Amino acid sequence: MLLISLFIATLFLAYANGANDNFKGVATLFGSRTTSYQTAILWATFTTFAGSLTATYLGRTIVKEFTGKGILPDAIANAPEFHLAVAIASGLTVLLATTMGFPISTSHSLIGAMFGAGLVAFGLQVNFAILGIYFIFPLLLSPIIAIAFSAGIYSLINYLSIRLNWQLNHKIIDTLHYISAGIFSFARGLNDTSKIVSIVLIIDYFSLSGAMITIAMAMGLGGLLNSQKIAETMSTKITSMNRIQGVSANMITSILVILASNFGLPVSTTHVAVSSIFGVGLVGSKANKYIFYQILLVWLVNLPIATIIGGITYRLLQG
């Protein structure tokens, strides 16, 4: 019964992840009116699912990093109750943010849930140093890097097009935009599927490939059914944008995510995507700072909230 509950809770987390994350890669496509919401979410679903399938071959290293090992002893990290508490707590945290229209990091929710359950199970002996690697550094680095690069690239393109009297071809721009959005969504599917699937691998009935395909389907469903509020926030509320701004933000997001993955840099894909959009909005003085500051606040409280829910959930499961 406990393992069945764990399976259902992990699908719930995957659904919440898809609802909050799937649209992030295509937000600029919709925000710049390059395409409709329906086309954007379908493109995101297809490319994210492709990344999830690729994770069955390339995502094994990421799976090992999100099992709770290194935070607390293996005896606790491998217990079904611990995994169930993490799945429920992180899923609730992500879904709560989604219903409020706030894009957040699923990785931070997972880490917070692990620490909450770990604190109840093992006390203050949990490894707090991991917070610096997985939470503090990404929170500090991601927005700064993304805002600077996206604002700089858009300013450069804008300057050169005026200075050199460029006649930008909209078909080429739109094609690059779709490609960069697809690359980002593919990379996110590759990473997030591996992180979520680590929770259910203690169930002996699951092969790694079977678990990843099941998680990928739940992520896709979440994105198709519940991405509207995240789409509204990222595509229209942070800033209004034209095609050049949209493709500039999206290409910077894709490049930074790929570079971070290759060099092991601690950046959050969510923070990079949101901050890149905010960066191009700053150049044209169209960015809504109030909305961005609200999102920053939610990022700050994301991990503590997941920690509290994780601790409470684990205690209830123990009882």
Side-chain angles (χ1 to χ4, degrees), residues 81 84-86 88-89 92 308-318:
E81 294 87 352
L84 180 56
V86 169
I88 293 173
L92 285 173
I308 293 169
I309 299 175
I312 293 172
T313 305
Y314 186 73
R315 176 61 73 193
L316 290 174
L317 289 172
Q318 281 185 319

Side-chain angles (χ1 to χ4, degrees), residues 284-303:
S285 299
K286 295 180 179 179
N288 189 331
K289 295 180 181 179
Y290 176 71
I291 292 294
F292 185 68
Y293 293 153
Q294 281 187 321
I295 295 172
L296 282 178
L297 179 61
V298 172
W299 289 349
L300 284 170
V301 301
N302 179 16
L303 186 137

